[in-house]
Amino acid sequence: MADNPLHLPVRELTDAYARGDLNPIDVTEQVLDRIDRFDPEARAYVTVTSDLARLQAAEAAERYRRGERAPLLGVPVSIKDAFHLADTETGLGSLTQRGRVARSDSGAVARLRAAGSVMPGKTSVPEFCQSATSDNLLGPETGNPWDPTRTPGGSSGGAAASVGAGLATIALGSDGGGSIRIPAAFSGLVGYKPTTGLCADERGFRAMTDFVTAGPLAWSVDDARIMTEVLAETSFARASAPNRRIAFCPRPDGRPVDPAIVRTLESIAATLSDLGHEVVETDIPIQGWNEIFGPLVLDDELRERAHLLDRPELLTPYEQASLRAAMRLSSADVAVARQALLDFRRRIDTFLHRFDAILTPTVATVAFPHDQRPKTIDGEKVDWLWGAFPFTSPFNVAATPAISLPAGVHDGLPIGAQLVAAQGRDADLLNLAESLEAALAFDYAPVRERWADVESREPEPVP
């Protein structure tokens, strides 16, 4: 048994509950105690729902006593603050949303509740999930679990920190442009973006509606599989991954990438070859994705939040900039982008008739210090918006499933590798990722030991 039951795989944890080796009530109290002691440093949670978690844990214990089972029964699951949790504020990282309490669960949360989850709280996000980092006006940015002085990425940055710091077993995130995979890569976790439309969030927060999906951040592919099956209300057949033809692109769209990440991805490609797959280094036809992504995301912002410009002092600079850009958008711009979206998806679908999967870096750098987005990567100037994170959004535009796996470490910080498959091929992608995960055997000891080491002290909150 692991010293921290929150590090147990979901199946092992629920099996331990069923045998009586562990009790959901005790594990939940450990979660809440760790949040109380360590979240001032991790800054993962914006709301802690202790009473709800204790009630759910007691219900789970009683259900186990009666011999019942459910996929996440008694499992601590953090909820990104972009989802509605009944009787709890949905803050969306914004001063404008203070006091807005949800009357009911949105769809994804309702499914997790039905699967027996214990929900200790809601995790931090950038304002309206509009940034690839997790800064907002509510307080200091969430800390990266490997180094809290660095960003965990966004917009599911709090979700990643909750798992990486041992404050939840698994986290519910959402991914509209990389918002699960970017934090997974920066924080050394598995992050899964299902096929667009597979995991709905009925009655939920609206942003990036053409591209966004609910999904998990987890310690393992199998844990991600379990949550995705709950969210999708389906199952993904487990099978050994047959030999696949994999397109390998270390620098998609010709963008600069940290040389250490390129070296790691080349090693991953060699590992896939050793596993019997045909790996072909090639370009990927993702040109033009940002001319589609930008106008359609801004169209959502215009429709949902243009009225907030009446109180700009309550908004982050990046949300103000988004809304002002949205005001300049024309209906013709949106129509052109929507037609291009169809063309782009057909182009990627055609490419994935030639290949079974794609391998790329998840991000172009390792996690950087708060408020210090890189200006150059590998000697080339990069733009503020996309420079560090140009490789995830194309696959939101394509609507394909994509997963980030922890693949290596550079300067004490994790590196992520991204695998992509065709729309609807979620089971195949999860099986391929699981076989690669086993071959890589990523070492989680450094991050787990870091948070174990602090158990003897009370961390100082960031001012």
Side-chain angles (χ1 to χ4, degrees), residues 109-128:
V109 175
R111 292 180 181 91
L112 293 175
R113 192 189 291 267
S117 303
V118 170
M119 301 172 182
K122 302 194 75 182
T123 57
S124 65
V125 298
E127 189 165 40
F128 299 117

Side-chain angles (χ1 to χ4, degrees), residues 205-382:
F205 163 62
R206 291 185 62 82
M208 304 184 185
T209 51
D210 289 288
F211 312 118
V212 73
T213 178
L217 288 106
W219 288 113
S220 70
V221 175
D222 189 52
D223 284 2
R225 179 196 300 267
I226 292 169
M227 179 181 277
T228 307
E229 288 180 336
V230 168
L231 295 173
E233 297 183 300
T234 191
S235 60
F236 302 114
R238 299 175 67 92
S240 58
N243 292 348
R244 299 294 190 186
R245 192 164 192 257
I246 299 171
F248 169 45
C249 187
R251 296 179 181 83
D253 219 8
R255 303 250 184 174
V257 181
D258 187 299
I261 294 178
V262 172
R263 290 192 297 270
T264 297
L265 266 290
E266 289 170 344
S267 176
I268 300 296
T271 298
L272 287 166
S273 293
D274 292 342
L275 291 172
H277 303 291
E278 180 188 1
V279 179
V280 180
E281 186 167 343
T282 183
D283 292 330
I284 307 168
I286 58 172
Q287 299 79 16
W289 64 267
N290 45 345
E291 284 86 22
I292 302 166
F293 184 83
L296 297 184
V297 169
L298 291 177
D299 187 44
D300 269 346
E301 290 303 291
L302 180 67
R303 181 176 56 252
E304 300 292 333
R305 282 170 281 283
H307 64 283
L308 296 178
L309 277 175
D310 293 341
R311 297 288 306 279
E313 70 277 7
L314 299 180
L315 299 174
T316 55
Y318 57 79
E319 180 62 14
Q320 290 184 50
S322 291
L323 292 176
R324 289 185 175 120
M327 297 289 284
R328 296 191 295 270
L329 202 65
S330 71
S331 58
D333 295 330
V334 175
V336 168
R338 196 156 294 287
Q339 180 57 52
L341 174 64
L342 300 176
D343 296 339
F344 186 91
R345 289 181 174 174
R346 281 192 290 265
R347 189 197 320 160
I348 298 299
D349 183 64
T350 299
F351 183 81
L352 284 168
H353 276 88
R354 295 171 45 213
F355 295 94
D356 299 296
I358 297 168
L359 170 66
T360 77
T362 307
V363 289
T365 70
V366 294
F368 45 84
H370 296 304
D371 301 319
Q372 294 183 33
R373 293 195 185 199
K375 296 178 181 178
T376 63
I377 297 174
D378 193 24
E380 293 186 42
K381 289 183 179 180
V382 296

Side-chain angles (χ1 to χ4, degrees), residues 40-57:
E41 185 173 12
R43 308 183 297 283
Y45 286 91
V46 292
T47 304
V48 179
T49 51
S50 304
D51 291 345
L52 173 63
R54 289 185 172 112
L55 178 63
Q56 291 173 323

